[in-house]
Amino acid sequence: MARRSPGDDPDRSILDVSGVRTLPDLAEVLRALRRRHARQRGDGELTYRELASRAGWSTAAVAEYLTGRTLPPTDRFDTLVRLLGAAPVEQGALATARDRVAEGQRRAPRRPSRSRRPAVPRQLPADVYAFTGREDELARLDALLDGGPAAMVISAVSGTAGVGKTALAVHWAHRVVDRFPDGQLYLNLRGYDPDQPVSPGDALTRLLGATGVAGADIPLDVEDRAARFRTHVAGRRMLIVLDNAATVAQVRPLLPGTPTCVVLVTSRDSLAGLVARDGARRIHLDRMPRPDATALLDHLLGARAAEEPDAVATLADLCARLPLALRVAAELAAARPATSLAALTAELAERHRRLDLLRAGGDPRAAVAEVFSWSVQHLPEPAARTFRLLGLHPGPDLEEHAVAALTGGDLAAARRDIEILARAHLIHPTGSGRYGMHDLLRAYATQLSDAHEAEDDRRAAQRRLCDLYLAGCHAATAALGLGGPRSLPIPAHVTPDLSRPDAARAWLDAERPCLVAAAAHGPPAFVIALSSTLYRYLDGGHYADGLSIHGHARRAAVRTGDRPGEAQALLGLGVAHLHLCQYAQAIGYLEQSLALAGDPAAEARALNVLGNVERLQGRHEPAIGYLHRALRLATLAGDASQQGFALTNLGTVVAQQGRYDTATDHLARAAALLGRAGNRLGEAIALTNLGLAAQRLGGFAAAAEHLQRALALFRLLGHREGEANTLDNLGSVHLSLGQPHDAIEHYTRALSLSREINNREVEAWALNGLGDAMRGVGRHSDALVHHTDALALATDVSAREPQARAHTGLGHAHRALGDLTQARYHFQQAVAGYTALGSGEADHIRTLLADLSVQTPS
């Protein structure tokens, strides 16, 4: 660990790294180096962003290195210590220490973390029924696993549409699944979707979520997301199947950086850049050999195939020996058992001559369209129309209510059509009651819709779908008490029952990808209304989706001159950036929202959030000014929810100033107002802060009661940030009651939740709480680690109160460990921080400093 004698010049001390044995030891040395560099510069510590910019890395990578979660590679470690001002003699010693830690990690038995066990995803689709042939390709894939772990294995399976790339990848993945005990990831990148492929950013969001980083535990920047993904899967033996990629640029950010992972990519493109630059092994998949194609039909058709072998061979050729076409044709044949295979092949041959799509110069992809057209032609007309209209749906999948909305029919008809289309392999199940389409089928359905549905009918179908989604969002947010207006007058038979909070939350979570897609493609009025309706729901931890939906709404409002809609969208953007601790961007959006607000209620909303941003940065007087203005305007508008939010925020500010009686009055009024208004979220927030104020006044039983009520509400709403905050406060109550072990349990859960939603300020609070609880059970070294991590996080996001609390905890820990010089330094920093915040805690820390002044360093 970093040590120096009390009498040494702190700017000239040489780091002693002889005792460094573990990754936390090494991280502590790096942080000590960072602090020393700050003293030498005289203008504060280099932030994670500054270090990342100078090194050319992501901020996430820097955070992983300085908090001791990841051991930096040798070249990066050397760069990092130079940036932190290590002297040449120290650089050599630090490199030796790093190698010592690396060697210790190699020798240590791998034990799963008990506090943060990684998620083990099992995402592979079901193995392919009646998989036939492809023995050479399977053998080549098997051979990739025999080369040893020297480098990450990437295989790129390319070939034309419908040739069976996905089937090969999934079938092989199931054969080798036991070799990847840490999980298997599967992601359809929709590279040739007629609307929009999955972006690298969205793909990384899904991959991170699948590996245990749920919610918004995801940086905004794509490079930072990629770095977080590489960090998260480092050392894990995983198989990653990236299906249906369009370009190398879509794939490259998704590649892990560890030789323990195997990546299998499928694409119609040859992905030459992935082969040349990233070392991928290419496997080109051609159409099935005729014996394999007929063998597949034999298997699918059963006894009928044996009776008409010539017809089977002809059918295989008409399907261009493409597995997708073969399967669709076999299903159609099975649906017409009274018709001979010879008659069916003659019918297909005739259609082959008539279809314009077949004038494609022998392109085998035309065979897929032929068979699709053949299959669709024999659907009942209602099902055929449903198939055409499904091409208008913008999202990755849909369920029966969306089908009914598109068609304008009832649920019974929608269910019948879904069953028919699924049986014909024109749609496929993606989850409980949800169905998707192969991208070729989606493109074909869109083409048919354009050709056979009148433009007015297509617009009416899209309007009904938008009405369904907007009505569902209204109903769901109302059921959750998130301030949503009443549902729109949509026919009841197309709207799901979302009156129960659990059903409402499940519907919003399942439909969120479709809502994001609908915001990108929908008409302006719908997009603007969607942004407003989902404002509180997205505020609960879905920050990346919030930025997307509110961003689309803002652009739609600008195009149509809708100033109130633009103001609301700007408010949503400001709140999302606030939660991501990007305060400057938040203020910019909020000030624009305030300038555009056309009524007292809208102004109150913007002022409330602006007051909260100022509070979080320790600027209490500006915060109070904003919040009093918000309260006056909300009262004028008769908006009970905004009155309650203003009182909640005012109570929180005055509590931070140490005025707990006044805070209690504000917060009790807020909880009552919000409860009467049916605003469960606002009530829960007010109760959380009321519990904190009661605790500071010594009313621990009352504090626990308020916090338990808040926790129940947050869990009902699925509001994970609120749950994390409340658990953190419950930890403090248990600590005050002399129950540190109970406190540790609550803080640990709060820490886990804060990391899942990427709320780094809450994470810093939870780490500080854990540090205090560890001190309560006599584990002062552990307390030192937790407070150090909290200080690093709070500093990086400019969260001033958690910084001051971290310094306080570090002072206590160093004093308990006998390092009074470091204890004095951190108590002084805490006094400065609390004084700047106008907090009464500064006086308490001054008392601790006075006690230290009569002691001598040990």
Side-chain angles (χ1 to χ4, degrees):
M1 302 298 290
R3 297 187 180 88
R4 59 181 175 83
S5 300
D8 291 343
D9 181 347
D11 291 342
R12 295 185 179 179
S13 60
I14 300 297
L15 290 172
D16 176 11
V17 297
S18 60
V20 171
R21 292 290 182 275
T22 67
L23 188 53
D25 292 344
L26 188 62
E28 170 59 26
V29 170
L30 293 175
R31 291 192 293 265
L33 195 60
R34 185 182 181 212
R35 291 192 294 271
R36 189 187 71 181
H37 187 48
R39 292 195 295 269
Q40 292 170 339
R41 293 198 320 161
D43 58 354
E45 294 180 357
L46 286 168
T47 67
Y48 289 0
R49 286 191 182 88
E50 288 174 321
L51 283 167
S53 176
R54 296 184 185 191
W57 311 330
S58 69
T59 54
V62 173
E64 296 286 338
Y65 300 155
L66 289 179
T67 56
R69 296 181 191 172
T70 302
L71 180 66
T74 302
D75 57 340
R76 287 196 167 197
F77 184 80
D78 294 342
T79 299
L80 183 59
V81 297
R82 285 197 299 272
L83 288 174
L84 294 175
V89 67
E90 292 175 321
Q91 292 175 24
L94 284 163
T96 300
R98 185 231 171 256
D99 292 344
R100 190 161 57 240
V101 171
E103 180 63 24
Q105 287 186 334
R106 282 192 291 269
R107 292 182 177 179
R110 293 181 61 188
R111 294 193 298 259
S113 167
R114 299 179 67 183
S115 60
R116 297 187 70 199
R117 184 182 300 276
V120 180
R122 308 290 186 192
Q123 291 191 323
L124 292 178
D127 199 357
V128 181
Y129 169 70
F131 186 89
T132 303
R134 305 301 193 192
E135 297 301 330
D136 290 345
E137 291 83 359
L138 290 169
R140 291 178 62 190
L141 288 170
D142 288 339
L144 295 177
L145 300 184
D146 298 330
M152 178 179 58
V153 174
I154 308 170
S155 178
V157 178
S158 61
T160 192
V163 79
K165 301 180 294 294
T166 299
L168 174 68
V170 170
H171 182 69
W172 179 78
H174 278 282
R175 290 190 359 159
V176 298
V177 70
D178 291 342
R179 300 182 67 169
F180 300 97
D182 294 324
Q184 306 88 43
L185 296 169
Y186 173 85
L187 183 60
N188 182 0
L189 296 175
R190 299 174 65 186
Y192 293 85
D193 187 284
D195 288 328
Q196 186 176 0
V198 177
S199 69
D202 288 344
L204 285 163
T205 297
R206 298 180 196 180
L207 292 172
L208 284 165
T211 53
V213 187
D217 188 9
I218 300 160
L220 287 181
D221 182 75
V222 174
E223 291 185 5
D224 290 346
R225 293 185 192 184
R228 181 64 189 270
F229 178 62
R230 289 192 296 270
T231 299
H232 204 60
V233 301
R236 296 169 70 177
R237 288 182 290 167
M238 301 185 74
L239 175 62
I240 302 169
V241 180
L242 303 176
D243 193 18
N244 196 15
T247 64
V248 172
Q250 189 187 23
V251 171
R252 188 166 282 138
L254 316 182
L255 299 178
T258 178
T260 57
C261 289
V262 170
V263 182
L264 186 56
V265 185
T266 74
S267 177
R268 298 185 206 172
D269 188 85
S270 62
L271 302 177
L274 203 64
V275 175
R277 176 175 157 183
D278 301 283
R281 282 74 156 179
R282 181 187 295 144
I283 296 178
H284 178 73
L285 199 61
D286 203 349
R287 292 179 290 167
M288 296 184 81
R290 184 172 283 103
D292 289 348
T294 55
L296 177 58
L297 285 173
D298 288 344
H299 196 110
L300 295 171
L301 294 170
R304 291 175 70 189
E307 295 169 359
E308 300 182 73
D310 292 340
V312 170
T314 302
L315 184 58
D317 288 339
L318 287 171
C319 292
R321 304 195 307 277
L322 292 168
L324 177 60
L326 292 166
R327 288 177 181 275
V328 173
E331 182 56 41
L332 182 60
R336 299 172 66 186
T339 305
S340 70
L341 295 181
L344 290 173
T345 55
E347 187 178 330
L348 180 57
E350 176 62 24
R351 190 156 185 84
H352 174 95
R353 288 188 291 271
R354 295 204 321 263
L355 276 174
D356 289 339
L357 282 173
L358 302 185
R359 315 296 186 228
D363 183 349
R365 284 175 290 186
V368 180
E370 293 173 49
V371 177
F372 289 170
S373 67
W374 188 42
S375 186
V376 171
Q377 181 192 28
H378 290 91
L379 291 173
E381 175 50 30
R385 176 174 177 268
T386 296
F387 175 75
R388 295 193 295 269
L389 292 175
L390 291 186
L392 303 176
H393 189 273
D397 58 8
L398 77 173
E399 46 75 70
E400 60 187 26
H401 292 89
V403 174
L406 283 168
T407 62
D410 58 25
L411 283 180
R415 289 167 185 150
R416 284 194 300 270
D417 291 345
I418 287 171
E419 183 179 352
I420 292 169
L421 295 175
R423 194 167 59 239
H425 294 286
L426 295 173
I427 60 175
H428 60 270
T430 61
S432 178
R434 303 190 69 84
Y435 295 84
M437 299 176 75
H438 187 283
D439 66 305
L440 282 174
L441 285 160
R442 180 189 294 271
Y444 186 65
T446 303
Q447 182 185 40
L448 290 181
S449 179
D450 290 343
H452 297 286
E453 300 293 325
E455 183 176 353
D456 288 345
D457 291 340
R458 294 199 305 274
R459 288 180 177 175
Q462 291 170 323
R463 184 171 59 251
R464 289 191 298 268
L465 182 67
C466 290
D467 288 345
L468 165 70
Y469 282 147
L470 192 55
C473 290
H474 276 276
T477 54
L480 291 170
L482 297 176
R486 292 191 302 272
S487 60
L488 297 178
I490 301 298
H493 66 269
V494 301
T495 307
D497 180 8
L498 303 177
S499 58
R500 301 189 324 276
D502 57 340
R505 187 172 61 250
W507 185 87
L508 286 169
D509 290 344
E511 296 292 353
R512 193 169 66 249
C514 295
L515 298 174
V516 173
H521 296 88
F526 161 74
V527 179
I528 295 165
L530 188 70
S531 166
S532 175
T533 305
L534 291 178
Y535 166 66
R536 289 290 177 195
Y537 166 71
L538 296 169
D539 179 33
H542 310 297
Y543 311 136
D545 290 337
L547 290 174
S548 177
I549 290 175
H550 299 318
H552 287 304
R554 181 195 182 187
R555 289 186 287 274
V558 170
R559 287 198 308 272
T560 58
D562 185 344
R563 288 171 61 90
E566 184 181 357
Q568 177 62 42
L570 287 163
L571 179 70
L573 290 168
V575 169
H577 283 287
L578 179 154
H579 286 302
L580 294 166
C581 298
Q582 297 171 337
Y583 299 127
Q585 295 97 316
I587 289 172
Y589 284 121
L590 293 167
E591 288 178 342
Q592 292 179 67
S593 178
L594 182 61
L596 288 171
D599 60 78
E603 289 184 54
R605 286 193 292 272
L607 288 165
N608 246 327
V609 184
L610 275 167
N612 219 14
V613 177
E614 296 293 339
R615 175 188 69 80
L616 288 168
Q617 296 180 95
R619 298 197 286 263
H620 290 165
E621 293 310 315
I624 289 172
Y626 281 131
L627 295 171
H628 276 302
R629 286 173 60 192
L631 183 58
R632 287 195 299 271
L633 287 166
T635 303
L636 177 66
D639 190 328
S641 288
Q642 288 304 314
Q643 291 178 59
F645 282 124
L647 285 166
T648 297
N649 292 332
L650 276 170
T652 305
V653 174
V654 298
Q656 289 176 335
Q657 294 177 319
R659 298 156 53 194
Y660 299 116
D661 288 325
T662 304
T664 299
D665 291 341
H666 285 325
L667 293 164
R669 287 177 58 200
L673 265 173
L674 291 159
R676 287 196 298 271
N679 193 315
R680 290 193 183 103
L681 175 61
E683 183 183 6
I685 294 170
L687 286 169
T688 298
N689 290 290
L690 184 60
L692 187 59
Q695 177 194 354
R696 294 302 179 91
L697 290 170
F700 301 125
E705 180 182 350
H706 295 317
L707 292 170
Q708 290 292 352
R709 285 177 58 197
L711 187 63
L713 285 171
F714 282 129
R715 286 175 171 167
L716 176 72
L717 297 173
H719 198 286
R720 308 186 87 186
E721 179 186 334
E723 183 180 353
N725 268 315
T726 307
L727 286 165
D728 177 71
N729 290 337
L730 276 168
S732 298
V733 170
H734 284 289
L735 205 54
S736 299
L737 289 169
Q739 300 165 345
H741 292 288
D742 292 332
I744 289 172
E745 181 179 342
H746 284 84
Y747 285 132
T748 299
R749 179 62 181 145
L751 180 63
S752 177
L753 277 172
S754 66
R755 286 173 172 167
E756 288 177 10
I757 63 172
N758 194 33
N759 192 313
R760 301 178 72 194
E761 183 185 1
V762 178
E763 183 178 356
W765 280 109
L767 284 166
N768 274 323
L770 271 175
D772 291 340
M774 291 299 175
R775 182 162 52 88
V777 295
R779 293 164 56 181
H780 301 294
S781 295
D782 289 337
L784 196 68
V785 170
H786 290 310
H787 287 304
T788 300
D789 288 349
L791 181 59
L793 279 171
T795 301
D796 193 49
V797 299
S798 302
R800 299 172 67 186
E801 189 172 2
Q803 288 180 54
R805 184 178 173 191
H807 280 300
T808 303
L810 286 167
H812 284 300
H814 281 296
R815 182 175 66 176
L817 293 168
D819 190 342
L820 301 188
T821 301
Q822 281 294 309
R824 185 175 295 106
Y825 165 77
H826 284 292
F827 283 144
Q828 289 169 343
Q829 294 298 309
V831 168
Y834 281 125
T835 300
L837 289 167
S839 171
E841 287 293 318
D843 292 334
H844 172 65
I845 309 302
R846 288 191 186 96
T847 301
L848 296 175
L849 272 170
D851 291 341
L852 280 181
S853 67
V854 299
Q855 302 180 44
T856 57
S858 58

